[in-house]
Amino acid sequence: MLRLAGARLLDDRDYPAVRAALATDPVGSCMVSARVETAGLDPWRLGGELWAADSRPVRAGRLQGLCFSGPNLIPLRGNASALRSFADRALRRQRTCSSLVGPAEQVLGLWDELEPEWGPAREVRHDQPLLALDGIPSVAADPLVRAVRPEELDRYLPAAIAMFIEEVGVDPRNGDGGAGYRARVAELIAGGRAFARFEDGEVVFKAEIGAMSSTVGQIQGVWVHPERRGGGVGTAGTASVVTRLVRGMGRTASLYVNAYNSPALAAYRKIGFQQVGRYATVLF
């Protein structure tokens, strides 16, 4: 078993304890649960590593701290000591993650440890309400919102790029001309997890189901064409995706949103979402 600075690299022998830890917060842990359920804990299959804060093997099935290190660094649980151990391990290698994201207490605590070496961040989003809905939306779903078909990728992609630039603040085509982002969007479409309303061949609403565990689906990339904003297109469109998740897939619908985005928060609450936690994101 590999150990480093108090943080322990988990493997498939720790699977029961990891699943038990993730089950304590199925909405908050959805991004990691989706990976673990599919790939187990082997880093190659998982696309990253899972770390525990304790340096000794788990006793009684309890993990005192848990952190995923992959394309994003996601600290799910742990006190100040656990976060220091995660920071120690992270700082022993070059940073490759594009963001630090997850429960706000853990993210901001870990960032305090990492900032002297990894800072400054491009942006720190301190307050992102984590919302969930496990019933039928309180507003009518838009019947014209449907799953995007693979042959519609080229019509869908400009809206996805526009959303990414607005939300993240960088162009996803930077670096490789957009090949990587196009491939990720195509994968979502192929999996039936990208949804849109088309008018005259143009996307006026879009959203995707990103991470999806056995119990929770996380909605991402909600976007409305600038000329159609303020007219309820986003509310009804999101209700359609929620309905697909809850009724069609048997999952709780979840998403997180910046606290300063009052129009989006109001729309999600109108749909029926309730706050179940608080996320934070550090963007590099």
Side-chain angles (χ1 to χ4, degrees):
M1 185 69 65
L2 296 177
R3 298 184 180 91
L4 185 61
R8 184 167 62 91
L9 176 62
L10 300 175
D11 61 29
D12 282 332
R13 291 171 290 181
D14 299 290
Y15 186 79
V18 170
R19 288 299 306 273
L22 296 174
T24 63
D25 183 9
V27 176
S29 67
C30 177
M31 288 186 286
V32 176
S33 294
R35 288 176 173 266
V36 169
E37 291 173 6
T38 301
L41 302 187
D42 176 78
W44 187 83
R45 299 194 309 269
L46 188 63
E49 297 178 347
L50 267 178
W51 304 336
D54 48 353
S55 60
R56 297 187 301 272
V58 175
R59 294 182 178 179
R62 297 189 181 94
L63 289 172
Q64 299 304 312
L66 186 63
C67 182
F68 173 76
S69 175
N72 303 301
L73 190 61
I74 308 174
L76 289 176
R77 59 192 300 174
N79 58 20
S81 176
L83 298 177
R84 280 193 295 272
S85 74
F86 297 149
D88 287 341
R89 190 173 189 107
L91 290 171
R92 292 193 177 236
R93 64 187 71 178
Q94 184 176 3
R95 179 185 65 79
T96 58
C97 60
S98 61
S99 71
L100 176 57
V101 61
E105 181 180 357
Q106 280 68 42
V107 165
L108 298 176
L110 182 55
W111 181 235
D112 284 343
E113 300 289 337
L114 293 172
E115 186 176 14
E117 296 291 333
W118 282 8
R122 182 164 57 85
E123 184 180 355
V124 179
R125 300 176 178 180
H126 295 84
D127 188 3
Q128 297 176 302
L130 178 65
L131 310 177
L133 174 58
D134 60 5
I136 302 305
S138 301
V139 300
D142 184 347
L144 297 181
V145 170
R146 57 170 175 80
V148 180
R149 295 187 287 267
E151 64 269 20
E152 295 173 317
L153 172 60
D154 287 333
R155 286 198 285 161
Y156 182 82
L157 192 59
I161 292 170
M163 175 281 304
F164 194 97
I165 293 172
E166 287 183 29
E167 177 62 25
V168 182
V170 297
D171 192 322
R173 296 167 294 186
N174 291 343
D176 64 355
Y181 186 67
R182 180 187 177 89
R184 288 195 294 274
V185 173
E187 183 179 6
L188 287 169
I189 292 174
R193 289 159 59 175
F195 302 87
R197 173 173 175 156
F198 291 90
E199 292 182 359
D200 298 324
E202 186 177 24
V203 174
V204 297
F205 166 84
K206 67 163 289 291
E208 297 140 6
I209 301 169
M212 188 161 67
S213 71
S214 60
T215 58
V216 179
Q218 189 174 85
I219 298 172
Q220 66 178 31
V222 178
W223 181 86
V224 177
H225 192 286
E227 295 180 0
R228 298 297 301 276
R229 293 175 185 175
V233 172
T235 302
T238 303
S240 296
V241 181
V242 171
T243 300
R244 181 68 63 94
L245 261 172
V246 174
R247 280 187 168 174
M249 301 179 182
R251 265 79 167 181
T252 294
S254 76
L255 52 83
Y256 60 100
V257 60
N258 294 312
Y260 58 74
N261 192 344
S262 299
L265 268 174
Y268 297 143
R269 287 171 176 153
K270 184 177 181 180
I271 291 167
F273 278 98
Q274 299 292 321
Q275 185 169 351
V276 296
R278 185 167 70 98
Y279 261 27
T281 301
V282 179
L283 295 171
F284 299 118

